[in-house]
């Protein structure tokens, strides 16, 4: 094998949490929560008054952390909240006023968190990842605990000095790190992609097949709740752009043109933008694979369920095909906008959705691969330059565009002989990685170029 086998769980890729950003909101909240847990193991006699916590944000977290809610996320994590259980209404009002203060206690010793606890570092920092956080606990002016974390995309975090692979001692039933290896398992063992993914998930998580299906159903339910809420919620999204929500308008238009040939596209646009607008509002969504891209797969699965009447089992299987592609990208390139630009977020979601559409339609694995490859190919080099650092422009419409491209990638892959396809999924993922490395950091979630500069007046 080229690399170590993928040991990511489906439920690490599809995670429930508040918007607007998996790398800037969910990851930092988890990092802060982890830091808090570590403070509980310090010798108590080290904790001298005054106690103070400082959180230093670097790189993309510093550049766009305000608009992405990173400051609220670290406060939430230090309050002991976690993304999948935190109350979105309580989360969105954190730090609403500059004087807001949050008392916490560490081993019964009190300290207070405020906006001043967070430092948006502008200088250079020698860090292996553009999304870096450093937490320091100070006791009577002396640092007694310091931890550095990297928010590596999709809500995944790594702690400095910890090998992410070493954390997993579980071995998948069918180890793979490339599409080539995955296809070899399928043909050698004469099993379906669904059975392979289930066997791996069981080996990695210890869950039974029934439990895995139940969790996928819950994920789909959460995705579809976000779509439904977004179709109802009108008004202006939070932030200085004052962007008006569009999904409810699109939905009304789609219903009134339901018999026209392009109505399915208008419905799909409405569904994707509905979930994406909910993400921008800081409400609960599912990373798929990131929060910025949390409208593509929910929009498509909502369409498949409500317009094509796909049953539960078919959607579960589609989710597993999507996860397989998400794993390959995460493992061999990255799903982080701060590393890959938007091709890492919407490009990955589009490829996952293209694989899902093909697999749900009963196409062979070669078509599934080809659809995912085409979707990535046509997102290569896509920049991330959100206006004002908010996950709104271009992010919300981009979810709809990513879904439409996924649909077309599925159609293109389904027509003709996939044997004539010149580019493999593995090779386009390599190209994605190389392209992401070559891209200027100005176009990787820093809001320092592109749309972020040209539309500052909006
Ligand atoms: S432009 Fe793309 S990568 Fe950047 S914040 Fe928006 S959705 Fe995420």
């Amino acid at each position: 094998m080229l690399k170590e086998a993928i040991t990511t769980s489906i439920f690490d890729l599809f995670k429930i949490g508040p918007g607007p950003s998996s790398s800037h909101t969910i990851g930092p909240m988890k990092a802060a929560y982890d830091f808090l847990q570590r403070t509980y193991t310090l010798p108590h006699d080290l904790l001298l008054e005054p106690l103070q916590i400082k959180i230093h944000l670097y790189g993309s977290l510093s550049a766009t952390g305000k608009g992405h809610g990173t400051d609220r996320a670290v406060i939430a994590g230090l309050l002991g909240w976690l993304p999948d259980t935190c109350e979105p209404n309580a989360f969105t009002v954190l730090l609403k006023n500059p004087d807001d203060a949050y008392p916490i206690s560490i081993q019964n010793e009190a300290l207070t968190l405020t906006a001043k606890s967070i430092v948006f570092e502008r200088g250079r920092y020698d860090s292996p990842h553009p999304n870096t956080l450093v937490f320091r606990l100070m006791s009577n002016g002396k640092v007694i605990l310091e931890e550095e974390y990297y928010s590596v995309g999709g809500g995944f975090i790594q702690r400095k000095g910890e090998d992410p692979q070493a954390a997993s001692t579980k071995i998948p039933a069918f180890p793979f790190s490339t599409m080539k290896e995955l296809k070899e398992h399928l043909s050698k063992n004469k099993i379906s992609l669904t059975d392979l993914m289930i066997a791996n998930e069981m080996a990695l998580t210890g869950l039974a097949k029934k439990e895995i299906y139940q969790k996928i159903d819950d994920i789909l339910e959460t995705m579809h709740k976000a779509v439904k809420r977004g179709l109802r919620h009108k008004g202006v999204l939070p932030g200085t752009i004052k962007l008006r929500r569009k999904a409810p308008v699109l939905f009304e238009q789609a219903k009134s043109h339901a018999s026209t040939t392009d109505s399915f596209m208008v419905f799909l646009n409405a569904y994707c933008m509905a979930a994406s607008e909910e993400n921008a509002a800081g409400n609960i969504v599912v990373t798929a694979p990131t929060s910025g891209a949390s409208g593509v797969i929910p929009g498509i699965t909502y369409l498949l369920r409500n317009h094509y009447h796909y049953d539960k089992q078919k959607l579960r299987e589609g989710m597993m095909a999507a996860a397989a592609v998400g794993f390959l990208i995460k493992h061999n390139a990255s799903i982080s906008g701060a590393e890959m630009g938007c091709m890492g977020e919407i490009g990955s979601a589009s490829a996952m959705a293209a694989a899902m559409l093909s697999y749900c339609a009963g196409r062979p694995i070669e078509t599934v691969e080809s659809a995912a490859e085409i979707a990535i190919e046509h997102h290569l080099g896509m920049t991330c330059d959100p206006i004002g650092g908010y996950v709104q422009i271009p992010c919300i419409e981009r979810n709809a565009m990513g879904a439409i491209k996924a649909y077309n990638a599925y159609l293109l892959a389904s027509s003709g002989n996939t044997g004539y396809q010149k580019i493999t999924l593995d090779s386009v993922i390599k190209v994605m990685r190389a392209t992401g490395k070559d891209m200027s950091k100005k176009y990787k979630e820093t809001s320092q170029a592109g749309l972020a500069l040209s539309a500052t007046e909006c």
Side-chain angles (χ1 to χ4, degrees), residues 58 104 118 134 161 169 259 267-268 272 284 298 312 326-327 353 356 384-385 402 410 412-413 418 431 458:
Y58 294 91
I104 64 167
I118 301 153
V134 176
T169 51
S259 55
F267 275 114
L268 184 55
C272 295
I284 294 292
K312 223 178 218 184
F327 289 165
M356 161 185 273
C384 166
D385 46 5
Y410 145 65
L412 287 171
T418 51
V431 173
C458 74

Side-chain angles (χ1 to χ4, degrees), residues 259-324:
S259 55
T260 61
T261 46
D262 56 2
S263 73
F264 105 93
M265 270 180 38
V266 190
F267 275 114
L268 184 55
N269 284 338
Y271 300 154
C272 295
M273 288 178 66
S276 193
E277 286 173 358
E278 280 299 288
N279 175 63
N283 290 330
I284 294 292
V285 292
V286 177
T287 61
T290 64
S291 304
S294 62
V296 177
I297 290 177
I300 284 186
T301 52
Y302 197 83
L303 183 92
L304 293 178
R305 196 183 73 174
N306 294 293
H307 293 246
Y308 299 171
H309 308 294
Y310 279 17
D311 65 19
K312 223 178 218 184
Q313 184 57 22
K314 201 166 259 214
L315 291 182
R316 290 168 177 162
E317 295 182 2
M319 289 288 279
M320 280 185 276

Side-chain angles (χ1 to χ4, degrees), residues 68 290 292-293 337 341-342 345-346 383-386 391 394-395 398-399 445:
H68 284 57
T290 64
C342 202
E345 296 206 19
I346 297 291
T383 57
C384 166
D385 46 5
V391 191
C395 321
R398 201 163 270 181
N399 276 267
E445 220 165 357

Side-chain angles (χ1 to χ4, degrees), residues 143-434:
V143 177
I144 54 166
L145 180 66
E146 175 173 315
E147 296 290 352
E148 182 166 320
Y149 297 87
Y150 314 114
S151 182
V152 297
F156 291 85
I157 55 165
Q158 282 168 18
R159 192 167 63 93
K160 187 179 179 182
E162 232 169 36
D163 175 1
Q165 283 293 123
S168 174
T169 51
K170 304 272 171 59
I171 299 166
F174 299 98
F176 69 91
S177 64
T178 62
M179 190 64 182
K180 184 169 175 275
E181 291 166 351
L182 174 59
K183 286 195 297 182
E184 279 166 7
H185 282 308
L186 297 178
S187 70
K188 201 167 118 203
N189 298 287
K190 307 253 173 297
I191 55 166
S192 67
L193 180 59
T194 304
D195 289 342
L196 180 148
M197 292 294 284
I198 286 282
N200 278 3
E201 192 65 26
M202 288 168 71
L204 291 171
T205 62
L207 292 170
K209 183 174 175 178
K210 207 172 147 194
E211 293 170 306
I212 294 168
Y213 279 148
Q214 183 55 55
K215 279 176 76 102
I216 293 177
D217 293 348
D218 293 345
I219 292 285
L220 281 163
E221 189 57 30
T222 307
M223 286 179 168
H224 294 169
K225 275 186 184 164
V227 174
K228 283 189 214 161
R229 282 195 316 269
L231 292 176
R232 280 197 319 270
H233 285 168
K234 296 184 177 147
V236 170
L237 290 167
T240 52
I241 307 177
K242 306 283 175 220
L243 185 67
R244 191 157 282 281
R245 287 177 183 251
K246 201 169 173 182
V249 178
L250 283 169
F251 189 44
E252 289 309 314
Q253 274 177 7
K255 284 192 286 186
S256 60
H257 294 93
S259 55
T260 61
T261 46
D262 56 2
S263 73
F264 105 93
M265 270 180 38
V266 190
F267 275 114
L268 184 55
N269 284 338
Y271 300 154
C272 295
M273 288 178 66
S276 193
E277 286 173 358
E278 280 299 288
N279 175 63
N283 290 330
I284 294 292
V285 292
V286 177
T287 61
T290 64
S291 304
S294 62
V296 177
I297 290 177
I300 284 186
T301 52
Y302 197 83
L303 183 92
L304 293 178
R305 196 183 73 174
N306 294 293
H307 293 246
Y308 299 171
H309 308 294
Y310 279 17
D311 65 19
K312 223 178 218 184
Q313 184 57 22
K314 201 166 259 214
L315 291 182
R316 290 168 177 162
E317 295 182 2
M319 289 288 279
M320 280 185 276
V325 170
F327 289 165
L328 291 168
I329 299 173
K330 181 182 180 310
H331 196 72
N332 296 303
S334 166
I335 56 172
S336 163
E339 283 186 282
M340 297 280 119
C342 202
M343 75 175 152
E345 296 206 19
I346 297 291
S348 301
S350 186
M352 291 163 68
M356 161 185 273
L357 284 161
S358 308
Y359 195 58
C360 283
R363 300 286 188 268
I365 190 69
E366 290 75 17
T367 308
V368 172
E369 173 184 7
S370 177
E373 184 282 315
I374 292 169
I376 295 180
E377 197 179 305
H378 300 288
H379 283 92
L380 286 173
M382 184 181 269
T383 57
C384 166
D385 46 5
I387 294 179
Y390 294 99
V391 191
Q392 297 181 7
I393 305 173
C395 321
I396 295 170
E397 284 178 0
R398 201 163 270 181
N399 276 267
M401 295 300 292
I404 298 290
K405 277 196 197 178
Y407 207 97
N408 205 23
Y410 145 65
L411 294 178
L412 287 171
S414 302
S415 57
N417 187 336
T418 51
Y420 298 151
Q421 193 73 13
K422 298 285 185 200
I423 319 270
T424 65
L425 180 58
D426 290 330
S427 48
V428 85
I429 292 174
K430 270 191 204 156
V431 173
M432 183 179 180
R433 183 180 175 79

